[in-house]
Amino acid sequence: DQQVKQNSPSLSVQEGRISILNCDYTNSMFDYFLWYKKYPAEGPTFLISISSIKDKNEDGRFTVFLNKSAKHLSLHIVPSQPGDSAVYFCAASFLGTYKYIFGTGTRLKVLA
Amino acid sequence: DARVTQTPRHKVTEMGQEVTMRCQPILGHNTVFWYRQTMMQGLELLAYFRNRAPLDDSGMPKDRFSAEMPDATLATLKIQPSEPRDSAVYFCASGPRPTAASGNTIYFGEGSWLTVV
């Protein structure tokens, strides 16, 4: 029973365009969400997070949107760059705890 | 440059053998995690410790897996006996004490790639 779902296993985008990665969750009690990026043969690295009191958080080219009523979050990358090609994991947890539930990941390929 | 260090990076072993993976968390981090990455399940939490005490190991198969933290600088994950279905990448991660203000960011090691044949 996947509590956090990333339904698109892969996504290809042209360089300079917007990449949109999606994530759905089932537990309405989650109140903290994160995105991690993973390159091959490396560990995941933290990218951006959002708490449930917000609906948007922005950091440079990366913006995370949270729609609590739909139990949906998305990561927007604008503009996309070839170096963004990686696997992106979304995760949900309860603020103040570390029990993350990760999705299965979306492999993003940015084409030059 | 503080980072989580894992050994071995790669391990190939025969079914039935014991496997031990080691992790050195970032100095000062009091919470340590073991995750497993598989194609089907993504990143699964196996166990985590706070101040060296196990907090949750509900994701770990108890009959063959064990996790310990003998001191603040070393965490171990042991599989005995190993089986082919244990083949995966095992990640250790560490984090400072979580607070409502600082959020929940944790830092991953590079992983131990285990193949059981």
Side-chain angles (χ1 to χ4, degrees), chain B residues 96-113:
Chain B
R97 181 185 176 87
T99 66
S102 66
N104 297 18
T105 304
I106 64 173
Y107 301 85
F108 285 80
E110 294 185 316
S112 291
W113 295 64

Side-chain angles (χ1 to χ4, degrees), chain A residues 14-34:
Chain A
Q14 285 294 132
E15 180 179 8
R17 305 295 291 269
I18 184 170
S19 294
I20 300 176
L21 296 97
N22 294 303
C23 180
D24 297 294
Y25 59 96
T26 57
N27 189 339
S28 59
M29 300 301 291
F30 287 135
D31 56 7
Y32 196 75
F33 305 88
L34 308 92

